[in-house]
Amino acid sequence: MREAWIAPRMKDGVRTQMHYAKAGVTTEEMRRVAARENLSAERVRKEVARGRMVIPANIHHPQLDPMGIGLAASCKINANIGASALASDPQLEVQKVCISLKHGADTIMDLSTCDNTDEVRKAVIAASTVPVGTVPMYQIVQEAKNQDAKNIVIDDMLKVIERQAQQGVSYFTIHAGFMMRFMPYIAKRKMGIVSRGGSLIAAWMMHHHQENPFYQAYDQILDICQRYDVTLSLGDSLRPGCLADASDEAQLEELKMLGELTLRAWEKDVQVMIEGPGHVPLNQVEHNMKIERHYCHDAPFYILGPLVTDISPGYDHISSAIGAAVGGMHGASMLCYVTPKEHLGLPGPEDVREGIIAYKIAAHAADVARGRKNARNRDDAMSDARYAFDWNRQFELALDPERAKAYHDETLPQDAFKDAEFCSMCGPKFCSYKITHDIVDHFQQKEQA
Amino acid sequence: MREAWIAPRMKDGVRTQMHYAKAGVTTEEMRRVAARENLSAERVRKEVARGRMVIPANIHHPQLDPMGIGLAASCKINANIGASALASDPQLEVQKVCISLKHGADTIMDLSTCDNTDEVRKAVIAASTVPVGTVPMYQIVQEAKNQDAKNIVIDDMLKVIERQAQQGVSYFTIHAGFMMRFMPYIAKRKMGIVSRGGSLIAAWMMHHHQENPFYQAYDQILDICQRYDVTLSLGDSLRPGCLADASDEAQLEELKMLGELTLRAWEKDVQVMIEGPGHVPLNQVEHNMKIERHYCHDAPFYILGPLVTDISPGYDHISSAIGAAVGGMHGASMLCYVTPKEHLGLPGPEDVREGIIAYKIAAHAADVARGRKNARNRDDAMSDARYAFDWNRQFELALDPERAKAYHDETLPQDAFKDAEFCSMCGPKFCSYKITHDIVDHFQQKEQA
């Protein structure tokens, strides 16, 4: 389907949604986003032109169903997948893609750091109907001499980026805003750098005593993004890795720099998101959302969590869903999930499911809190189904129907108690809904009398 | 230990902590709370005298380690346990008590609605070192003629309440603020009444056309609470059961009434907490905390969740931990946990653990957000352990050490990679901590040079 939309644009030098939006052209991608978001196509076009919304849609990803990320759109979630050197199997990653799509991930990042990343990425993109993002730095290091970040050569770096663009990656995390002058801030921190990409760049900069290679090659990177319409996700190399480091100089100085890079990207019609923290005390989350909008000119904010405590390994999907929901309420446009395995190991398929559902909850809570049109409809339908003891409808409306049904049936098998007007929590005598039915009947009869 | 503290007070007519606090007497219970909260004993005494803090400590619960709930104290969590008619076994409930204590529940509510509630409660109180709360209405109905709420007789009701006080229950949920005049508000709601206790009272009021029996007998109930020092937890019969009903007339009118009942209890030196919602959109949580303080004169707010979406059955511990954390940040004193089985069935031991950890996260995030002294120490120690690759220390500091270790070992067994300076998430080549160590070394060498 998308191939037909893209074909007429193949002669254009710049093929980004922002380019067309600024030129007053409403693309099919914009129309599709408008339909999905219950917005007018013109509103979507204006938001994309202004940089307040991105449509990450590489021209080489024909299976993609276009989606929009931005303040005017519903809050999105990203699922990170990817193989590591210690566990690499393309089929396992495709399985994670399927789980991610099934449970409602809006984008998928393939963060593989294994030897066969091209192969894994190809499989992931082919299996995905949502945009696929990457952190090209990982493959750049894999292909450097001795797989050592210090041996990265800028020309080779650009070749990897272009190859990934050709494969159909729709957004790149690029850590171009991490400057040499920020190094002293890092030494002051409790946790230093916790971004993998950021730390690899740091290693290169320390060794060569040269400015960030992504910053040096930023214009060439923008040129690649223009041709394939890859959205830039400007990475926060210096995101806080613990509560103690939140909202410090390192984080905020890099954020300001990302704002400057945003304007440079927009000049070339390249779409931009900004990546955000990390670990942030709950009382600082709102402020973090506001300063991003201020420094980065309303470019969509794509936040990782943030975790609101450091002491919950094994449950960091919960700690971070708290921060993510509050971030979403205060304007974050996409929430990058965290799984229960965060800080402990590589997530498996079940962790992916746990992470996604936790983040669907956070994003939905944010949409309701922001008063998005119709956001509460599904909650209201659930409440109606509860009130009517319609268990099957409740399972249908649940974010994870399978688990809801399984948990229900554990203590009160449907076969034994089909259409039971109670559940095992209270039993038939203590069911408040039944009593409410009587009250409502009473008042209805009174009104009719 | 507590028996020696209580003995000299047995001759007193009124034996509540509030009574002594108002009289300028600092009890041993207050001293113990002061030590646990890192506050002065005088501060605790003043808070208790003012009603801003409660120490639920029935004189018949000698195993109790006294604890305080209030704005000046750290945020607490409650774990609900209890058997239902469909699943009743005292040993299973004792098992849930042990799990609750192990994972850090600050109080336990025994919500049993089975035939052998006295037996279950006795076992629960004996096994618990934290205050045990109940909803006496459940047993009152069990013992009414035909186990029908309509047949409740006020004198029998008071006998059940006194019997539970004699057993050592430290706080009672009493739904005394639900008035006849609120009935029409209920008929306007999507979900009506979702409080079990509230709905049983509604059934009684509808049948007898008489005011709430707990309201009628409120003075006698206060007299019982005085003698045993049972804290009243004024129940919110009309808490919203879905987002659509949040912050409506039914909820707010009852809350105002709870404020009046608070003043009446304080006149008799009875300690009071206020129970709160329920299901509340995330953007209304802060406001809900503020109006409780306003209407209820700063009596500690004990909130159930609130859930910030209705569509997450199977994951309601997460949905509600989001609301609970934000509620805690804005002044809730105790968070009543919700388990993954909420809305689906009776929680088992594993659900209890999941619920408690989710709420430990919420309460801790709230303490950090409120800037409580030393609240972040454990997070900082965790960050130091992470930075030093000290896995065993990380497990020790985790809210659930067993799970943290199990998840870690799943992908990178400790035996095979003892003291490994990396984890399976990134592998040895992409470890950002290692690179940060180099940067810090570099700057330290520069400073020394």
Side-chain angles (χ1 to χ4, degrees), chain A residues 125-316:
Chain A
I125 292 170
S128 179
T129 53
V130 301
V132 173
T134 60
V135 184
M137 186 57 161
Y138 301 162
Q139 188 171 20
I140 291 166
V141 174
Q142 286 294 134
E143 299 190 2
K145 192 177 147 198
N146 298 329
Q147 302 194 339
D148 187 331
K150 298 187 192 80
N151 297 328
I152 290 171
V153 176
I154 290 184
D155 279 348
D156 296 338
M157 187 179 99
L158 290 168
K159 281 178 196 152
V160 170
I161 292 175
E162 177 131 22
R163 196 191 324 144
Q164 293 199 1
Q166 270 167 342
Q167 276 191 307
V169 172
S170 285
Y171 65 94
F172 287 149
T173 294
I174 297 283
H175 299 92
F178 175 15
M179 313 308 289
M180 288 278 274
R181 66 177 187 273
F182 303 157
M183 289 286 186
Y185 301 143
I186 298 162
K188 290 187 202 170
R189 283 184 147 180
K190 189 174 274 295
M191 293 282 288
I193 306 175
V194 296
S195 150
R196 276 190 283 182
S199 67
L200 297 167
I201 290 167
W204 191 92
M205 291 198 287
M206 296 284 286
H207 181 77
H208 294 277
H209 297 283
Q210 266 189 42
E211 198 50 277
N212 183 335
F214 290 94
Y215 182 77
Q216 290 190 44
Y218 193 58
D219 277 318
Q220 291 108 297
I221 294 170
L222 292 177
D223 293 341
I224 295 170
C225 291
Q226 274 192 340
R227 285 197 297 279
Y228 299 89
D229 198 3
V230 179
T231 296
L232 272 189
S233 185
L234 292 173
D236 54 338
S237 326
L238 303 181
R239 67 171 176 265
C242 61
L243 300 185
D245 292 341
S247 314
D248 71 348
E249 280 170 311
Q251 181 195 333
L252 297 188
E253 287 301 313
E254 185 184 32
L255 186 65
K256 279 187 205 166
M257 194 63 210
L258 299 186
E260 291 181 29
L261 294 171
T262 299
L263 296 179
R264 281 178 60 187
W266 286 353
E267 271 172 37
K268 292 203 171 200
D269 295 345
V270 172
Q271 305 187 88
V272 175
M273 295 189 282
I274 305 295
E275 292 186 12
H279 293 236
V280 179
L282 191 53
N283 60 316
Q284 294 178 23
V285 174
E286 179 177 355
H287 178 65
N288 266 265
M289 301 305 113
K290 287 184 173 162
I291 52 176
E292 186 273 343
R293 289 187 63 174
H294 176 70
Y295 288 147
C296 299
H297 321 285
D298 284 347
F301 202 18
Y302 168 28
I303 58 177
L304 174 62
L307 282 86
V308 294
T309 164
D310 301 329
I311 61 172
S312 54
Y315 300 83
D316 280 344

Side-chain angles (χ1 to χ4, degrees), chain A residues 147 190-191 193 199 242 309-311 315 341 345-346 379 383-384 399-400 403 410 424 429 435-436, chain B residues 147 190-191 193 199 242 309-311 315 341 345-346 379 383-384 399-400 403 410 424 429 435-436:
Chain A
Q147 302 194 339
K190 189 174 274 295
M191 293 282 288
I193 306 175
S199 67
C242 61
T309 164
D310 301 329
I311 61 172
Y315 300 83
K341 288 283 168 63
L346 200 67
D379 302 84
S383 306
D384 291 338
L399 286 172
D400 186 350
R403 175 164 298 177
E410 226 174 75
S424 71
K429 273 191 196 144
I435 294 169
T436 300
Chain B
Q147 303 195 338
K190 189 176 274 298
M191 292 282 287
I193 306 174
S199 67
C242 62
T309 164
D310 302 328
I311 60 172
Y315 301 84
K341 287 284 167 60
L346 200 67
D379 302 86
S383 305
D384 290 339
L399 286 173
D400 186 349
R403 176 165 297 176
E410 223 174 80
S424 71
K429 273 189 193 145
I435 293 169
T436 300

